[in-house]
Coordinates of all heavy atoms in Angstrom, one line a residue:
P17 N 12.7 20.5 156.3 CA 13.9 19.9 155.9 C 14.7 20.7 154.7 O 14.1 21.4 154.0 CB 13.5 18.5 155.4 CG 12.0 18.7 155.1 CD 11.5 19.8 155.9
T18 N 15.9 20.4 154.8 CA 16.8 21.0 153.7 C 17.1 19.9 152.7 O 17.4 18.8 153.0 CB 18.1 21.6 154.4 OG1 17.8 22.7 155.2 CG2 19.0 22.1 153.2
V19 N 17.1 20.3 151.4 CA 17.4 19.4 150.3 C 18.6 20.0 149.5 O 18.6 21.3 149.3 CB 16.2 19.2 149.4 CG1 16.5 18.2 148.3 CG2 15.0 18.8 150.2
I20 N 19.4 19.2 149.1 CA 20.6 19.6 148.3 C 20.3 19.1 146.9 O 20.3 17.9 146.7 CB 21.9 19.1 148.8 CG1 22.1 19.8 150.3 CG2 23.0 19.6 148.0 CD1 22.5 19.0 151.3
F21 N 20.2 20.0 146.0 CA 20.1 19.6 144.6 C 21.4 19.7 143.8 O 22.0 20.7 143.9 CB 19.1 20.6 143.8 CG 17.6 20.4 144.2 CD1 17.1 21.2 145.3 CD2 16.9 19.5 143.6 CE1 15.8 21.0 145.6 CE2 15.5 19.4 144.0 CZ 15.0 20.1 145.0
Q22 N 21.9 18.6 143.3 CA 23.1 18.6 142.6 C 22.9 18.7 141.1 O 22.1 17.9 140.5 CB 23.9 17.4 142.9 CG 24.4 17.3 144.3 CD 25.6 16.4 144.6 OE1 25.7 15.4 143.9 NE2 26.4 16.8 145.5
L23 N 23.3 19.8 140.5 CA 23.0 20.1 139.1 C 24.0 19.4 138.2 O 25.1 19.2 138.6 CB 22.9 21.6 139.0 CG 22.0 22.3 140.0 CD1 22.0 23.8 139.7 CD2 20.6 21.8 139.9
P24 N 23.5 19.3 136.9 CA 24.4 18.6 135.9 C 25.8 19.4 135.7 O 26.7 18.7 135.4 CB 23.5 18.6 134.7 CG 22.2 18.9 135.1 CD 22.2 19.5 136.4
D25 N 25.8 20.6 136.0 CA 27.0 21.4 135.8 C 28.0 21.3 137.0 O 29.0 22.0 137.0 CB 26.7 22.9 135.4 CG 26.1 23.6 136.6 OD1 25.9 23.0 137.7 OD2 25.8 24.8 136.5
G26 N 27.6 20.5 138.0 CA 28.4 20.2 139.1 C 28.2 21.2 140.3 O 28.7 20.9 141.4
T27 N 27.4 22.2 140.1 CA 27.0 23.1 141.2 C 25.9 22.5 142.0 O 25.3 21.5 141.6 CB 26.6 24.5 140.7 OG1 25.5 24.4 139.9 CG2 27.7 25.1 139.9
E28 N 25.7 23.0 143.2 CA 24.6 22.6 143.9 C 23.8 23.7 144.5 O 24.3 24.8 144.8 CB 25.0 21.5 145.1 CG 26.1 21.9 146.0 CD 26.5 20.9 147.1 OE1 26.6 19.7 146.7 OE2 26.5 21.2 148.3
R29 N 22.5 23.4 144.8 CA 21.6 24.4 145.3 C 21.0 23.8 146.6 O 20.5 22.6 146.6 CB 20.4 24.7 144.4 CG 20.7 25.5 143.3 CD 20.9 27.0 143.6 NE 19.9 27.5 144.5 CZ 18.8 28.0 144.2 NH1 18.4 28.0 142.9 NH2 17.8 28.4 145.0
K30 N 21.0 24.6 147.7 CA 20.5 24.1 148.9 C 19.1 24.8 149.1 O 19.0 26.1 148.9 CB 21.4 24.5 150.1 CG 21.8 23.4 151.0 CD 22.7 23.8 152.1 CE 23.8 22.9 152.2 NZ 24.7 23.1 153.4
V31 N 18.1 24.0 149.4 CA 16.7 24.6 149.5 C 16.1 24.1 150.7 O 16.2 22.9 151.1 CB 15.9 24.1 148.3 CG1 14.4 24.4 148.5 CG2 16.4 24.9 147.0
T32 N 15.5 25.0 151.6 CA 14.8 24.6 152.7 C 13.3 24.8 152.5 O 12.9 25.8 152.0 CB 15.3 25.4 153.9 OG1 16.7 25.2 154.1 CG2 14.6 24.9 155.2
A33 N 12.5 23.7 152.8 CA 11.1 23.8 152.7 C 10.4 23.2 153.8 O 11.0 22.4 154.6 CB 10.7 23.0 151.4
A34 N 9.1 23.5 154.1 CA 8.4 23.0 155.2 C 8.2 21.5 155.0 O 8.1 21.0 153.9 CB 7.0 23.6 155.3
S35 N 8.1 20.7 156.1 CA 7.7 19.4 156.0 C 6.3 19.2 155.3 O 5.5 20.1 155.6 CB 7.7 18.8 157.4 OG 7.5 17.4 157.4
G36 N 6.1 18.2 154.4 CA 4.9 18.1 153.7 C 5.0 18.7 152.3 O 4.1 18.5 151.5
T37 N 6.0 19.6 152.1 CA 6.2 20.1 150.8 C 6.6 19.1 149.8 O 7.4 18.1 150.1 CB 7.3 21.2 150.8 OG1 7.0 22.2 151.8 CG2 7.4 21.9 149.5
V38 N 6.1 19.1 148.6 CA 6.4 18.2 147.6 C 7.8 18.7 147.0 O 8.1 19.8 146.8 CB 5.4 18.2 146.4 CG1 5.8 17.5 145.2 CG2 4.1 17.6 147.0
L39 N 8.6 17.7 146.8 CA 10.0 18.0 146.3 C 10.0 18.9 145.1 O 10.8 19.8 145.0 CB 10.8 16.7 146.1 CG 12.2 16.7 145.6 CD1 13.1 17.5 146.6 CD2 12.7 15.3 145.4
M40 N 9.2 18.6 144.1 CA 9.2 19.4 142.8 C 8.9 20.8 143.2 O 9.5 21.7 142.6 CB 8.1 18.8 141.9 CG 7.9 19.5 140.6 SD 6.7 20.9 140.8 CE 5.2 20.1 140.5
Q41 N 7.9 21.1 144.1 CA 7.5 22.4 144.4 C 8.7 23.1 145.1 O 8.8 24.3 144.8 CB 6.2 22.3 145.4 CG 5.3 23.5 145.2 CD 4.8 23.8 143.9 OE1 4.1 22.9 143.3 NE2 5.2 24.8 143.2
A42 N 9.3 22.5 145.9 CA 10.5 23.0 146.6 C 11.5 23.5 145.5 O 12.1 24.6 145.8 CB 11.1 22.0 147.6
A43 N 11.7 22.8 144.6 CA 12.7 23.1 143.5 C 12.2 24.3 142.7 O 12.9 25.3 142.5 CB 12.9 21.9 142.6
V44 N 10.9 24.1 142.2 CA 10.4 25.1 141.3 C 10.3 26.5 142.0 O 10.7 27.5 141.5 CB 9.0 24.8 140.8 CG1 8.3 25.8 140.0 CG2 9.2 23.6 139.7
S45 N 9.8 26.5 143.3 CA 9.5 27.8 144.0 C 10.9 28.4 144.4 O 11.0 29.6 144.7 CB 8.6 27.6 145.1 OG 9.0 26.7 146.0
N46 N 11.9 27.7 144.3 CA 13.3 28.2 144.6 C 14.2 28.4 143.3 O 15.3 28.7 143.4 CB 14.0 27.4 145.6 CG 13.4 27.5 146.9 OD1 13.7 28.5 147.7 ND2 12.6 26.6 147.4
G47 N 13.5 28.2 142.1 CA 14.2 28.4 140.9 C 15.3 27.5 140.6 O 16.3 27.8 140.0
V48 N 15.2 26.3 141.1 CA 16.3 25.2 140.8 C 16.2 24.9 139.3 O 15.1 24.4 138.8 CB 16.1 24.0 141.7 CG1 17.0 23.0 141.3 CG2 16.3 24.4 143.2
Q49 N 17.2 25.1 138.6 CA 17.3 24.8 137.2 C 17.2 23.3 137.0 O 17.7 22.5 137.8 CB 18.7 25.3 136.6 CG 18.9 26.7 136.7 CD 18.2 27.5 135.7 OE1 18.3 27.2 134.5 NE2 17.4 28.6 136.2
G50 N 16.5 22.9 135.8 CA 16.5 21.6 135.4 C 15.3 20.7 135.9 O 15.2 19.6 135.6
I51 N 14.4 21.3 136.7 CA 13.2 20.6 137.1 C 12.1 21.4 136.3 O 11.7 22.5 136.6 CB 12.9 20.8 138.6 CG1 14.1 20.3 139.4 CG2 11.6 20.0 138.9 CD1 14.3 18.8 139.3
V52 N 11.6 20.8 135.2 CA 10.7 21.5 134.3 C 9.3 21.4 134.8 O 8.5 22.3 134.9 CB 10.9 20.9 132.9 CG1 9.9 21.5 131.9 CG2 12.3 21.1 132.4
A53 N 8.9 20.2 135.2 CA 7.6 20.0 135.8 C 6.4 20.5 134.9 O 5.5 21.3 135.4 CB 7.5 20.6 137.2
E54 N 6.4 20.1 133.7 CA 5.4 20.6 132.7 C 3.9 20.4 133.1 O 3.1 21.2 132.8 CB 5.7 19.9 131.3 CG 6.1 20.8 130.2 CD 6.7 20.0 129.1 OE1 6.2 18.8 128.8 OE2 7.6 20.6 128.4
C55 N 3.7 19.2 133.7 CA 2.2 18.8 134.0 C 1.8 19.5 135.4 O 0.7 19.2 135.8 CB 2.1 17.3 134.0 SG 2.7 16.4 135.4
G56 N 2.7 20.1 136.0 CA 2.3 20.7 137.3 C 2.2 19.8 138.4 O 1.6 20.1 139.5
G57 N 2.7 18.6 138.3 CA 2.7 17.8 139.5 C 1.8 16.5 139.4 O 1.5 15.9 140.4
N58 N 1.3 16.2 138.2 CA 0.3 15.2 138.1 C 0.9 13.8 137.7 O 0.2 12.9 137.3 CB -0.7 15.5 137.1 CG -1.6 16.7 137.5 OD1 -2.0 16.7 138.7 ND2 -1.8 17.7 136.6
A59 N 2.2 13.6 137.8 CA 2.8 12.4 137.4 C 2.5 12.0 136.0 O 2.3 10.9 135.7 CB 2.4 11.2 138.4
S60 N 2.4 13.0 135.1 CA 2.0 12.7 133.8 C 2.9 13.3 132.7 O 2.7 13.3 131.5 CB 0.6 13.1 133.4 OG 0.4 14.4 133.7
C61 N 4.1 13.8 133.1 CA 5.0 14.4 132.1 C 6.4 13.9 132.2 O 7.1 14.0 131.3 CB 5.0 16.0 132.2 SG 5.9 16.6 133.7
A62 N 6.8 13.5 133.4 CA 8.2 12.9 133.6 C 9.3 14.0 133.3 O 10.5 13.6 133.2 CB 8.5 11.7 132.8
T63 N 8.9 15.2 133.5 CA 10.0 16.3 133.3 C 10.4 16.9 134.7 O 11.0 17.9 134.8 CB 9.6 17.5 132.4 OG1 8.4 18.1 132.9 CG2 9.2 17.0 131.0
C64 N 10.1 16.2 135.7 CA 10.5 16.5 137.0 C 11.4 15.4 137.6 O 11.6 15.2 138.8 CB 9.3 16.8 138.0 SG 8.3 15.4 138.3
H65 N 11.9 14.6 136.7 CA 12.8 13.4 137.0 C 14.0 13.8 137.9 O 14.6 14.8 137.5 CB 13.2 12.8 135.7 CG 14.0 11.6 135.8 ND1 14.9 11.3 134.8 CD2 14.1 10.6 136.7 CE1 15.5 10.2 135.2 NE2 15.1 9.8 136.3
V66 N 14.2 13.1 138.9 CA 15.5 13.3 139.7 C 16.0 11.9 140.0 O 15.3 10.9 140.1 CB 15.3 14.1 141.0 CG1 14.9 15.5 140.7 CG2 14.3 13.4 141.9
Y67 N 17.3 11.9 140.4 CA 17.9 10.7 141.0 C 18.1 10.9 142.5 O 18.8 11.9 142.9 CB 19.3 10.3 140.3 CG 19.2 10.2 138.8 CD1 19.9 11.1 138.0 CD2 18.5 9.1 138.2 CE1 19.9 10.9 136.6 CE2 18.4 9.0 136.9 CZ 19.2 9.8 136.1 OH 19.1 9.6 134.7
V68 N 17.5 10.2 143.3 CA 17.7 10.3 144.8 C 19.0 9.7 145.1 O 19.4 8.7 144.6 CB 16.5 9.5 145.5 CG1 16.8 9.6 147.0 CG2 15.2 10.2 145.1
D69 N 19.8 10.4 145.9 CA 21.1 9.8 146.3 C 20.9 8.4 146.9 O 19.9 8.2 147.8 CB 21.7 10.8 147.4 CG 23.2 10.5 147.4 OD1 23.9 10.7 146.4 OD2 23.7 10.2 148.5
A70 N 21.7 7.5 146.5 CA 21.6 6.1 146.9 C 21.5 5.9 148.4 O 20.8 5.0 148.9 CB 22.7 5.3 146.2
A71 N 22.3 6.7 149.2 CA 22.3 6.5 150.6 C 20.9 6.6 151.2 O 20.6 6.1 152.3 CB 23.2 7.5 151.2
R72 N 20.1 7.5 150.6 CA 18.8 7.7 151.2 C 17.6 7.2 150.4 O 16.4 7.4 150.8 CB 18.6 9.3 151.4 CG 19.6 9.9 152.2 CD 19.6 9.6 153.6 NE 18.7 10.3 154.5 CZ 18.7 11.6 154.8 NH1 19.7 12.3 154.4 NH2 17.7 12.1 155.5
S73 N 17.9 6.5 149.4 CA 16.8 6.2 148.4 C 15.7 5.2 149.1 O 14.6 5.2 148.8 CB 17.3 5.7 147.1 OG 17.8 4.3 147.3
E74 N 16.3 4.3 150.0 CA 15.4 3.4 150.6 C 14.4 4.2 151.5 O 13.2 3.9 151.6 CB 16.2 2.5 151.5 CG 15.6 1.0 151.4 CD 16.6 0.0 151.8 OE1 17.6 -0.3 151.1 OE2 16.5 -0.4 153.0
L75 N 14.9 5.2 152.2 CA 14.1 6.0 153.1 C 13.0 6.8 152.3 O 11.9 6.9 152.7 CB 14.9 7.0 153.8 CG 14.3 7.7 155.0 CD1 13.9 6.7 156.1 CD2 15.3 8.7 155.6
V76 N 13.4 7.2 151.1 CA 12.5 8.0 150.2 C 11.4 7.0 149.7 O 10.3 7.4 149.6 CB 13.2 8.7 149.1 CG1 12.3 9.3 148.0 CG2 14.2 9.7 149.6
G77 N 11.8 5.8 149.4 CA 10.8 4.9 149.0 C 10.7 4.9 147.5 O 11.4 5.6 146.8
G78 N 10.0 3.9 146.9 CA 9.9 3.7 145.5 C 8.6 4.4 144.9 O 7.8 4.8 145.8
P79 N 8.5 4.3 143.6 CA 7.3 4.9 143.0 C 6.0 4.1 143.2 O 6.1 2.8 143.3 CB 7.7 5.0 141.5 CG 8.7 3.9 141.4 CD 9.4 3.8 142.7
N80 N 4.9 4.6 143.1 CA 3.6 3.9 143.0 C 3.5 3.4 141.5 O 4.3 3.8 140.7 CB 2.4 4.6 143.5 CG 2.1 5.8 142.7 OD1 2.5 6.0 141.5 ND2 1.3 6.7 143.3
D81 N 2.4 2.8 141.2 CA 2.3 2.2 139.9 C 2.2 3.2 138.7 O 2.8 3.1 137.7 CB 1.0 1.3 139.7 CG 1.1 0.0 140.5 OD1 2.3 -0.2 141.0 OD2 0.2 -0.8 140.7
V82 N 1.5 4.3 139.0 CA 1.4 5.4 138.0 C 2.7 6.0 137.7 O 3.1 6.2 136.6 CB 0.4 6.4 138.5 CG1 0.3 7.6 137.5 CG2 -1.0 5.8 138.6
E83 N 3.4 6.4 138.8 CA 4.8 6.9 138.6 C 5.7 6.0 138.0 O 6.5 6.4 137.1 CB 5.3 7.3 140.0 CG 6.6 8.0 139.9 CD 7.3 8.3 141.3 OE1 6.5 8.3 142.3 OE2 8.5 8.6 141.3
D84 N 5.6 4.7 138.4 CA 6.5 3.8 137.8 C 6.4 3.6 136.3 O 7.3 3.6 135.5 CB 6.2 2.4 138.5 CG 7.1 1.3 138.0 OD1 8.3 1.4 138.2 OD2 6.6 0.3 137.5
E85 N 5.2 3.7 135.8 CA 5.0 3.7 134.3 C 5.5 4.9 133.7 O 6.1 4.8 132.6 CB 3.4 3.6 134.0 CG 3.0 2.2 133.7 CD 1.5 2.2 133.5 OE1 1.0 3.0 132.7 OE2 0.9 1.3 134.1
M86 N 5.3 6.1 134.3 CA 5.8 7.3 133.8 C 7.3 7.4 133.8 O 7.9 8.0 132.9 CB 5.2 8.4 134.7 CG 4.9 9.8 134.0 SD 3.9 9.6 132.5 CE 4.9 10.4 131.3
L87 N 7.9 6.7 134.7 CA 9.3 6.8 134.8 C 10.0 6.0 133.5 O 11.2 6.2 133.3 CB 9.9 6.2 136.0 CG 9.8 7.0 137.3 CD1 10.0 6.2 138.5 CD2 10.8 8.1 137.3
D88 N 9.2 5.4 132.8 CA 9.8 4.7 131.5 C 9.9 5.8 130.4 O 10.3 5.5 129.4 CB 8.9 3.6 131.1 CG 9.0 2.3 132.0 OD1 10.0 2.2 132.6 OD2 8.0 1.6 132.0
F89 N 9.4 7.0 130.7 CA 9.4 8.0 129.6 C 10.3 9.2 130.0 O 10.1 10.3 129.4 CB 7.9 8.5 129.4 CG 7.0 7.4 128.9 CD1 6.2 6.6 129.8 CD2 7.0 7.1 127.5 CE1 5.4 5.6 129.3 CE2 6.2 6.1 127.1 CZ 5.4 5.3 127.9
T90 N 11.2 9.0 130.9 CA 12.1 10.1 131.2 C 13.1 10.4 130.1 O 13.4 9.4 129.3 CB 12.9 9.8 132.5 OG1 13.5 8.6 132.3 CG2 12.0 9.7 133.7
A91 N 13.5 11.6 129.9 CA 14.4 11.9 128.8 C 15.8 11.3 129.1 O 16.4 10.9 128.3 CB 14.5 13.4 128.6
A92 N 16.2 11.5 130.3 CA 17.5 11.0 130.8 C 17.2 9.5 131.2 O 16.1 9.1 131.5 CB 18.0 11.7 132.0
E93 N 18.3 8.7 131.2 CA 18.0 7.2 131.5 C 17.5 7.1 132.8 O 17.8 7.7 133.8 CB 19.4 6.5 131.4 CG 20.4 7.1 132.4 CD 21.6 6.1 132.7 OE1 21.4 4.9 132.5 OE2 22.6 6.6 133.3
R94 N 16.5 6.0 132.9 CA 16.0 5.7 134.2 C 17.1 4.8 135.0 O 17.7 3.9 134.4 CB 14.8 4.9 134.0 CG 14.1 4.4 135.3 CD 12.8 3.7 135.0 NE 12.2 3.4 136.3 CZ 11.1 2.8 136.5 NH1 10.3 2.6 135.4 NH2 10.6 2.6 137.7
R95 N 17.1 5.1 136.3 CA 18.0 4.3 137.2 C 17.2 3.8 138.3 O 16.1 4.3 138.5 CB 19.1 5.2 137.7 CG 20.0 5.8 136.6 CD 21.2 6.6 137.1 NE 21.8 7.4 136.1 CZ 22.6 8.5 136.3 NH1 22.7 8.9 137.6 NH2 23.1 9.1 135.3
P96 N 17.7 3.0 139.1 CA 17.0 2.4 140.2 C 16.6 3.4 141.2 O 15.6 3.3 141.9 CB 18.0 1.3 140.9 CG 18.9 1.0 139.8 CD 19.1 2.2 138.9
T97 N 17.4 4.5 141.2 CA 17.1 5.6 142.3 C 16.1 6.7 141.6 O 16.0 7.8 142.2 CB 18.4 6.3 142.8 OG1 19.1 6.7 141.6 CG2 19.2 5.2 143.6
S98 N 15.7 6.5 140.3 CA 14.9 7.5 139.7 C 13.6 7.7 140.4 O 12.9 6.7 140.8 CB 14.6 7.1 138.3 OG 15.7 7.2 137.5
R99 N 13.2 8.9 140.5 CA 11.8 9.3 141.0 C 11.3 10.6 140.3 O 12.1 11.3 139.8 CB 11.9 9.6 142.6 CG 12.0 8.5 143.5 CD 11.0 7.4 143.5 NE 9.6 8.0 143.6 CZ 9.0 8.2 144.8 NH1 9.6 7.8 145.9 NH2 7.8 8.7 144.8
L100 N 10.0 10.7 140.2 CA 9.4 11.9 139.8 C 9.3 12.8 141.1 O 8.7 12.4 142.0 CB 8.1 11.7 139.2 CG 8.1 10.9 137.9 CD1 6.7 10.6 137.4 CD2 9.0 11.4 136.9
S101 N 10.0 14.0 141.0 CA 10.0 14.8 142.2 C 8.7 15.3 142.7 O 8.5 15.6 143.8 CB 11.0 16.0 142.1 OG 10.7 16.8 141.0
C102 N 7.7 15.3 141.8 CA 6.3 15.7 142.2 C 5.7 14.6 143.0 O 4.6 14.9 143.5 CB 5.5 16.1 141.0 SG 5.0 14.8 139.9
Q103 N 6.3 13.5 143.1 CA 5.6 12.4 143.9 C 6.4 12.2 145.2 O 6.1 11.1 145.8 CB 5.5 11.2 143.0 CG 4.8 11.4 141.7 CD 3.3 11.9 141.9 OE1 2.5 11.2 142.7 NE2 3.0 13.0 141.3
V104 N 7.2 13.0 145.5 CA 8.1 12.8 146.7 C 7.7 13.9 147.7 O 7.9 15.1 147.4 CB 9.6 12.8 146.5 CG1 10.4 12.7 147.7 CG2 10.0 11.7 145.5
E105 N 7.2 13.5 148.8 CA 6.8 14.4 149.9 C 8.0 14.6 150.9 O 8.5 13.6 151.4 CB 5.6 14.0 150.6 CG 4.9 15.2 151.4 CD 3.6 14.8 151.9 OE1 2.7 14.5 151.1 OE2 3.4 14.7 153.2
L106 N 8.4 15.8 151.2 CA 9.4 16.0 152.1 C 9.0 15.8 153.6 O 7.9 16.2 154.0 CB 10.1 17.4 152.0 CG 10.7 17.6 150.6 CD1 11.2 19.1 150.4 CD2 11.9 16.7 150.4
S107 N 9.9 15.3 154.4 CA 9.5 15.2 155.8 C 10.8 15.5 156.6 O 11.9 15.5 156.0 CB 9.0 13.7 156.2 OG 10.1 12.8 155.9
D108 N 10.8 15.7 157.9 CA 11.9 15.9 158.7 C 13.0 14.8 158.6 O 14.1 15.0 158.7 CB 11.5 16.2 160.1 CG 10.8 17.5 160.2 OD1 11.1 18.4 159.3 OD2 10.0 17.7 161.2
A109 N 12.4 13.6 158.4 CA 13.3 12.4 158.3 C 14.2 12.5 157.1 O 15.3 11.9 157.0 CB 12.5 11.1 158.2
L110 N 13.8 13.3 156.2 CA 14.6 13.5 154.9 C 15.5 14.7 154.9 O 16.1 15.1 153.9 CB 13.7 13.5 153.7 CG 12.8 12.3 153.4 CD1 11.9 12.5 152.2 CD2 13.8 11.1 153.2
D111 N 15.7 15.3 156.1 CA 16.5 16.5 156.1 C 18.0 16.2 155.6 O 18.5 15.2 156.0 CB 16.5 17.0 157.6 CG 17.4 18.3 157.7 OD1 17.1 19.2 156.9 OD2 18.2 18.3 158.6
G112 N 18.4 17.0 154.8 CA 19.8 16.8 154.2 C 19.8 15.9 153.0 O 20.9 15.6 152.5
L113 N 18.6 15.6 152.5 CA 18.5 14.8 151.4 C 19.3 15.4 150.1 O 19.2 16.5 149.8 CB 17.1 14.6 151.0 CG 16.8 13.6 149.7 CD1 17.1 12.2 150.0 CD2 15.3 13.8 149.3
V114 N 20.0 14.5 149.4 CA 20.7 14.9 148.2 C 20.1 14.3 147.0 O 19.7 13.1 147.0 CB 22.2 14.4 148.2 CG1 22.9 14.8 146.9 CG2 23.0 15.0 149.5
V115 N 19.7 15.1 146.1 CA 19.0 14.7 144.8 C 19.8 15.2 143.7 O 20.3 16.3 143.6 CB 17.5 15.0 144.6 CG1 16.7 14.5 145.8 CG2 17.3 16.5 144.6
H116 N 20.0 14.3 142.7 CA 20.8 14.7 141.4 C 19.8 15.1 140.3 O 18.8 14.3 140.0 CB 21.6 13.5 141.1 CG 22.5 13.1 142.2 ND1 23.8 13.5 142.4 CD2 22.3 12.2 143.2 CE1 24.4 13.0 143.4 NE2 23.5 12.1 143.9
V117 N 20.0 16.2 139.7 CA 19.1 16.6 138.6 C 19.8 16.1 137.3 O 20.9 16.3 137.1 CB 19.0 18.2 138.6 CG1 18.2 18.6 137.4 CG2 18.5 18.6 139.9
P118 N 19.0 15.4 136.5 CA 19.5 14.8 135.3 C 19.9 15.9 134.2 O 19.4 17.0 134.3 CB 18.5 13.9 134.8 CG 17.2 14.2 135.5 CD 17.5 14.9 136.7
E119 N 20.7 15.5 133.3 CA 21.1 16.3 132.1 C 20.0 16.9 131.4 O 20.0 18.1 130.9 CB 22.0 15.6 131.2 CG 23.4 15.1 131.7 CD 24.3 16.2 131.6 OE1 24.1 17.2 130.9 OE2 25.4 16.1 132.2
E120 N 18.9 16.1 131.1 CA 17.9 16.6 130.3 C 16.5 16.0 130.9 O 16.4 15.0 131.5 CB 18.1 16.1 128.9 CG 18.4 14.6 128.7 CD 18.7 14.2 127.3 OE1 18.6 15.0 126.4 OE2 18.8 13.0 127.1
Q121 N 15.5 16.9 130.5 CA 14.1 16.5 131.0 C 13.1 16.3 129.9 O 12.0 15.9 130.1 CB 13.6 17.6 132.0 CG 14.4 17.8 133.2 CD 14.1 16.6 134.2 OE1 13.5 15.6 133.9 NE2 14.4 16.8 135.5
V122 N 13.4 16.9 128.7 CA 12.5 16.8 127.5 C 13.2 16.3 126.3 O 14.4 16.3 126.2 CB 11.9 18.1 127.3 CG1 10.8 18.5 128.3 CG2 13.0 19.3 127.1
Ligands
FES254 FE1 4.9 16.2 135.7 FE2 6.1 15.5 137.9 S1 5.6 17.5 137.3 S2 5.4 14.3 136.3

């Protein structure tokens, strides 16, 4: 699937990754700015925070309990569409997904 990252400066980055790839990994391995991912994907740093585009957020689904707690520690404000990108697995159903990268991660 292809994911479109909308960056805080208004630019966007299109990234294509295999189904099953974790969203954070797709961003980091393609050098998408603004996804820090300090803990390497363990849902314990909240520096991989993204806002899933509202149109698809239901399809992406919500956080589990561990992620939900961690989302209270994001640097940028938490919103209903907030997710930790290391906890989102890409699938073909999510092709064309738009995610917004917040202004700050730490
Ligand atoms: Fe640390 Fe996602 S990479 S919470």
Side-chain angles (χ1 to χ4, degrees):
T18 296
V19 182
I20 297 135
F21 291 93
Q22 296 202 326
L23 306 181
D25 67 1
T27 60
E28 50 178 53
R29 282 287 316 276
K30 233 182 229 187
V31 163
T32 301
S35 190
T37 304
V38 171
L39 181 57
M40 176 277 274
Q41 209 58 61
V44 169
S45 57
N46 287 282
V48 174
Q49 299 282 310
I51 306 290
V52 179
E54 245 165 30
C55 77
N58 292 317
S60 58
C61 73
T63 64
C64 66
H65 179 209
V66 294
Y67 303 118
V68 174
D69 201 60
R72 305 289 282 286
S73 75
E74 224 166 275
L75 192 62
V76 172
N80 66 16
D81 290 351
V82 174
E83 180 186 344
D84 186 53
E85 261 177 49
M86 210 54 227
L87 280 167
D88 289 335
F89 297 94
T90 54
E93 60 159 344
R94 181 179 182 172
R95 299 180 192 162
T97 56
S98 286
R99 290 295 311 268
L100 297 179
S101 59
C102 69
Q103 303 300 306
V104 176
E105 194 173 299
L106 295 173
S107 64
D108 290 334
L110 295 179
D111 186 46
L113 181 71
V114 176
V115 300
H116 305 266
V117 178
E119 290 277 350
E120 48 183 3
Q121 294 284 17
V122 286

